[in-house]
Amino acid sequence: MSHIKTLPLLDGTKVIVIDEDIEAAYATALIAGWIHAWKEKSSDYSIDLVSFSDPKTWYNTQPLTPTKVTIHDYFSIQPTENAEKQDSENLDHALKNIKMKPQNTVVVNCLGSLVVYVGLEKAIRFIEKLSKQVSQLICIYRRDFMKIKVPAMETFGTTYVKLEKFTGNSSTNNIIYIAQLTHRKSGGSVICQTEIIKQDIKSYQITVEKVTVPSICKTETEPVKIETSFRTEISAQEMEQRDKTPLPYTLNTTNTSKIFYQPEDVDDIDEEDPDDDLCI
C-alpha cells in the first residue's frame, strides 16, 4: 500500500522532513503533488513557504509558484552592520508573521540555508517554536549542501522522507525518483517503506510505480545482555515460589497470635514504682 501520495494526511504527520539528494532535488515537486490532497481535504487549505535559500522571484518557474503558496522571502533581506541582531529579528518576525490557522501547512526551504544563516542551535530552536504554532510543518533538507550536518536528521520530525535518484528508465514528461519513507504514528507504530514516485512535469500529480516494504523495520535497539558470573534470570516456577513466600515484615490481617506472660517468683513487680530497679 502506498502512503507517499497522501502522506501529509496520515495520522501524526506533525513535522515532515524531506531529505533530498543532490541528484534528486524534487522536494518542492513532491510538495506540489501534495497540494492536490490538501485541496481535496479543504478548499480553504493554506500553504505558507518560508524561504531562506532563494528569493521570491525564483519560485515563479518552480513547482511551488506564488499562485499556489504564500511565500515569505527571508533570503533577499539586506544585511546590516549588526548581522547577528538582524538574524534574530528576522526569525522573530517570521514567528510573528506566520499565524496559527485551522488548516495550514508551513514549508521551510531549506534547513541547510537556515543553519548557515543563524547557526545550528538557533535554527533548531526556531523550527521547534514554529512547529508548535502551526498545524503542520515541512522542512526541506538538502544533503551535501553544507559541511555542518544536522545530527540525527531522520529523527528530527515525526515523518522522514529521503529522496534518492532513480537509476532505471526515465521519461521526458515525468519526474521519477525514489522515496524512502519512515513515519511514526501517534499510537507508536512505525511505517517503513520505499516507493518509486512518478510525477507529471506540469500537474505534479503523484503516481506510485512500486512499493517495497522491508522485512524488518527496527525502531528500537535490543537491550544489551549483561554477562555475569551468576544467573540473573528468574524462571516462572521461581517467580511463583517467590510470590508465595510470606515476608516477616508485612502485616498479616489473618494472624491471631498473642503474647502470654506468666510472672515468676523472682519477678519484682512494683505497681507504684515500676522503674524502681532502674535506680532513677
Side-chain angles (χ1 to χ4, degrees), residues 31-41 203-206:
I31 297 172
W34 287 340
I35 292 179
H36 299 283
W38 284 319
K39 294 301 182 181
E40 289 179 2
K41 180 181 179 181
S203 64
Y204 296 102
Q205 286 279 3
I206 299 174

Side-chain angles (χ1 to χ4, degrees), residues 127-155:
I127 294 299
E128 290 178 349
K129 290 181 179 179
L130 185 60
S131 64
K132 294 178 181 179
Q133 69 180 49
V134 298
S135 302
Q136 187 177 64
L137 180 64
I138 299 177
C139 299
I140 300 175
Y141 179 71
R142 297 176 182 173
R143 218 173 311 147
D144 301 329
F145 178 81
M146 49 183 289
K147 294 182 179 180
I148 303 175
K149 303 296 182 182
V150 178
M153 176 55 62
E154 62 277 3
T155 61

Side-chain angles (χ1 to χ4, degrees), residues 44-207:
D44 298 331
Y45 204 96
S46 62
I47 301 115
D48 294 80
L49 189 147
V50 184
S51 179
F52 295 100
S53 60
D54 302 287
K56 185 176 181 179
T57 55
W58 181 81
Y59 292 92
N60 292 332
T61 58
Q62 297 300 312
L64 296 177
T65 60
T67 58
K68 297 179 181 179
V69 299
T70 303
I71 299 177
H72 306 268
D73 184 4
Y74 290 94
F75 176 81
S76 304
I77 296 176
Q78 297 296 327
T80 60
E81 294 182 359
N82 194 341
E84 184 176 355
K85 181 181 179 181
Q86 182 69 29
D87 294 343
S88 300
E89 291 177 353
N90 291 337
L91 294 183
D92 292 338
H93 180 271
L95 292 173
K96 294 178 181 178
N97 195 30
I98 300 174
K99 302 297 182 181
M100 181 69 175
K101 301 176 183 178
Q103 292 180 328
N104 77 316
T105 295
V106 176
V107 180
V108 175
N109 188 22
C110 69
L111 279 178
S113 300
L114 181 59
V115 172
V116 174
Y117 187 50
V118 296
L120 180 60
E121 183 179 353
K122 290 183 179 179
I124 294 177
R125 191 182 303 117
F126 169 77
I127 294 299
E128 290 178 349
K129 290 181 179 179
L130 185 60
S131 64
K132 294 178 181 179
Q133 69 180 49
V134 298
S135 302
Q136 187 177 64
L137 180 64
I138 299 177
C139 299
I140 300 175
Y141 179 71
R142 297 176 182 173
R143 218 173 311 147
D144 301 329
F145 178 81
M146 49 183 289
K147 294 182 179 180
I148 303 175
K149 303 296 182 182
V150 178
M153 176 55 62
E154 62 277 3
T155 61
F156 194 72
T158 57
T159 309
Y160 176 71
V161 181
K162 186 176 182 179
L163 305 184
E164 298 283 355
K165 180 182 178 182
F166 179 68
T167 57
N169 296 328
S170 59
S171 174
T172 56
N173 298 324
N174 298 288
I175 303 171
I176 304 177
Y177 55 94
I178 299 173
Q180 298 177 6
L181 166 66
T182 303
H183 171 60
R184 293 184 294 274
K185 295 183 179 180
S186 56
S189 59
V190 179
I191 298 175
C192 298
Q193 62 188 42
T194 301
E195 303 183 15
I196 299 177
I197 309 300
K198 183 172 72 173
Q199 291 185 260
D200 184 80
I201 59 175
K202 293 183 179 180
S203 64
Y204 296 102
Q205 286 279 3
I206 299 174
T207 304

Side-chain angles (χ1 to χ4, degrees), residues 226-238:
I226 302 175
E227 296 183 359
T228 61
S229 58
F230 53 89
R231 185 168 62 89
T232 58
E233 296 84 3
I234 185 170
S235 63
Q237 182 180 2
E238 292 171 336

